Amino acid sequence: MSDQHAELKLFVDGAWQAGEGRDTGPVFNPATGAAIAEVPLATAADLDAALSAADRGFRRWRDTDVETRAGILRKAAALMRERVDAIATLLTREQGKVIAEARAEVIGSAGVFDWYAEEAKRAYGRVLVRPAGQRSIVLRQPVGPVAALSPWNFPVYLLAKKLGPALAAGCSVIAKPPEETPGCTSAFFRCLLDAGLPADVCQLVFGVPDQVSRHLLASDVIRKVSFTGSVPVGKHLMRLAADGVKRITLELGGHAPVLVFADCDLEKTLDMVVPQKFRNAGQVCVSPTRFHVEEPIYEAFLKGFAERAKALPVGDGSDPASRMGPLANRRRPEAIEALVNDATAKGARALAGGERGEGGYFFQPTLLADVPLEADIMTNEPFGPVAVTRSFRTEDEALEQANRLPYGLAAFAFTENGRRTNRLGDAIEAGMVGINTFAISVPDAPFGGVKVSGFGSEGGSEGFDSYCVVKAVHQA
Ligand code: NAD
């Protein structure tokens, strides 16, 4: 058992709590498969205590002046930057990503808090045109206590993207980060407490996910749910939210197409797409995944991609020489192996990787060419280090492929043709389109999907608004 993890606890109603008959769950280091800690799982009594604290905390926080709220968020961001090494080390040990990516995740989270600290001050309403002496005003107010359910692929950043806008807007929060990565999210959470966040404004619980979400969503206290994760779980939570008519934001993953046109700068494109594909071992909801490449450059694209993929140093994320770490949990290599085997059995060519790695939860950086549309991987999100490729002849054919699936989160294209850029931006069915760029997850822009990828946005003023309700006040 690691000393770094000796203190894993829940934070409920102003106190860190563990033991006392609570069940625990194991935490693993994905680079070795070794158990490194035990995380306490919340009981029904813990969740009830969290709900009543959140109810109280909401009234206090809603009425706290915006400068104080913003100041606490800014201070928490500063603490994250100060503690980046400690938080990133925990993140890599629990999740597997390489240490440089873990550091970038923590720094990015601080950026989200800073941005929302400023946005909180711009929660302006409207004054409507009325006869002299009369007033009608539209107010934006915090929606109420929030259940924030975040996943294991970016455990710190995706928690920050829920807590930043919710706290900025004046909501209280019960956060349930993933049980796979409790140490880094607890260390992140401590930044908020040490920055002066009142103890009842934010609760941190771990537990059996379905028990926690059912308990929280059944309570009248919770007014809004924000979930990032898989489509089936999102649908399940939407049903639970419907009973209490709770607002819900769902970010449910995708299967991002990448349209590579013959007029792109091929070497530059390859230098961008290959590291991006294998970032976080492909466990990114907006990971570039279905590569549709224009016929004249298809073979050159495959050759350049395979060379780069084979040369990528894979290893324990804590080794600074590693460029890709293991997958985050035991389920992922199993799922990816099944998808790759299905594709090759149906005629796809594996030009790089295709197999699990040694020890831990590793899977090799993999390139599959000529993948038939009937292969499961052309429809099901791989969420791993696999690029699937096909060639196309016309722009219309490429667009048809891009829009073929029920997903609509992110899409990318590489082209030097300006008119085409406009056409693609208009026609691709996705919440985010990156043309000659992957920089689509930034604090000031909305991030979210269409179709089964979910609805609502995290990021930008849209992300702030998702934690607000509007009220019209009329005076005669
Ligand atoms: P899963 O469907 O079991 O769980 C997905 C996430 O939801 C996990 O974080 C899990 O803890 C949580 N969860 C599960 N049941 C829940 C419930 N009833 N209430 C609340 N939370 C619940 O899948 P998994 O094996 O953990 O991940 C595999 C798939 O999940 C991936 O293929 C990917 O599609 C999706 N995923 C997406 C994202 C994203 O960023 N959109 C992140 C993580 C996972």
Side-chain angles (χ1 to χ4, degrees), residues 97-413:
K97 68 182 59 185
V98 297
I99 192 74
E101 289 182 19
R103 288 177 58 88
E105 179 170 341
V106 177
I107 297 296
S109 305
V112 169
F113 269 35
D114 274 340
W115 197 83
Y116 279 111
E118 296 309 309
E119 190 65 5
K121 300 173 196 163
R122 292 186 282 267
Y124 307 128
R126 298 203 308 282
V127 181
L128 307 182
V129 179
R130 290 291 180 269
Q134 297 182 23
R135 291 280 181 278
S136 284
I137 56 173
V138 180
L139 303 174
R140 285 200 280 166
Q141 297 186 315
V143 59
V146 172
L149 311 170
S150 56
W152 44 259
N153 55 338
F154 290 91
V156 174
Y157 187 67
L158 294 179
L159 185 57
K161 281 184 90 173
K162 298 185 193 308
L163 293 191
L167 294 173
C171 297
S172 61
V173 183
I174 301 178
K176 193 206 78 62
E179 289 63 37
E180 287 95 334
T181 55
C184 60
T185 50
S186 299
F188 159 84
F189 185 80
R190 280 179 194 273
C191 296
L192 270 168
L193 296 182
D194 294 347
L197 189 75
D200 49 8
V201 172
C202 201
Q203 324 285 309
L204 181 77
V205 298
F206 303 101
V208 176
D210 196 43
Q211 285 174 15
V212 175
S213 55
R214 278 182 194 277
H215 198 106
L216 296 182
L217 270 67
S219 164
D220 288 339
V221 169
I222 297 297
R223 294 312 322 152
K224 151 102 195 190
V225 186
S226 178
F227 171 72
T228 303
S230 62
V231 174
V233 175
K235 289 180 179 172
H236 167 66
L237 294 175
M238 204 171 159
R239 288 185 199 105
L240 293 181
D243 275 343
V245 195
K246 297 182 198 305
R247 284 155 197 256
I248 185 163
T249 297
L250 295 173
E251 202 274 85
L252 304 180
H255 200 320
V258 187
L259 310 182
V260 184
F261 290 88
D263 59 29
C264 77
D265 180 334
L266 184 57
E267 289 304 306
K268 199 170 146 197
T269 300
L270 284 164
D271 286 341
M272 285 176 77
V273 298
V274 177
Q276 198 63 32
K277 171 66 253 179
F278 299 116
R279 174 175 163 243
N280 201 13
Q283 302 161 114
V284 183
C285 53
V286 294
S287 183
T289 297
R290 293 179 290 139
F291 290 86
H292 295 280
V293 184
E294 200 168 359
E295 219 165 48
I297 60 163
Y298 183 54
E299 287 305 326
F301 179 88
L302 292 176
K303 184 167 174 289
F305 198 116
E307 281 167 7
R308 287 167 174 80
K310 286 178 185 163
L312 202 72
V314 179
D316 189 325
S318 61
D319 179 348
S322 300
R323 287 287 170 275
M324 189 183 97
L327 301 179
N329 56 54
R330 195 183 295 279
R331 301 185 294 283
R332 298 316 307 151
E334 285 166 15
I336 290 156
E337 188 170 48
L339 287 170
V340 168
N341 289 347
D342 170 78
T344 50
K346 288 174 178 160
R349 293 183 287 147
L351 300 185
E355 291 176 8
R356 293 188 192 206
E358 300 284 303
Y361 310 142
F362 289 95
F363 201 92
Q364 297 169 340
T366 296
L367 173 65
L368 299 179
D370 309 337
V371 185
L373 291 180
E374 306 71 53
D376 290 347
I377 200 166
M378 288 305 298
T379 301
N380 297 324
E381 180 184 21
F383 220 64
V386 187
V388 297
T389 49
R390 294 171 57 85
S391 64
F392 70 84
R393 287 207 181 97
T394 65
E395 187 180 304
D396 282 350
E397 194 189 325
L399 270 172
E400 190 188 322
Q401 287 304 316
N403 294 337
R404 187 179 68 93
L405 295 183
Y407 290 110
L409 189 60
F412 305 96

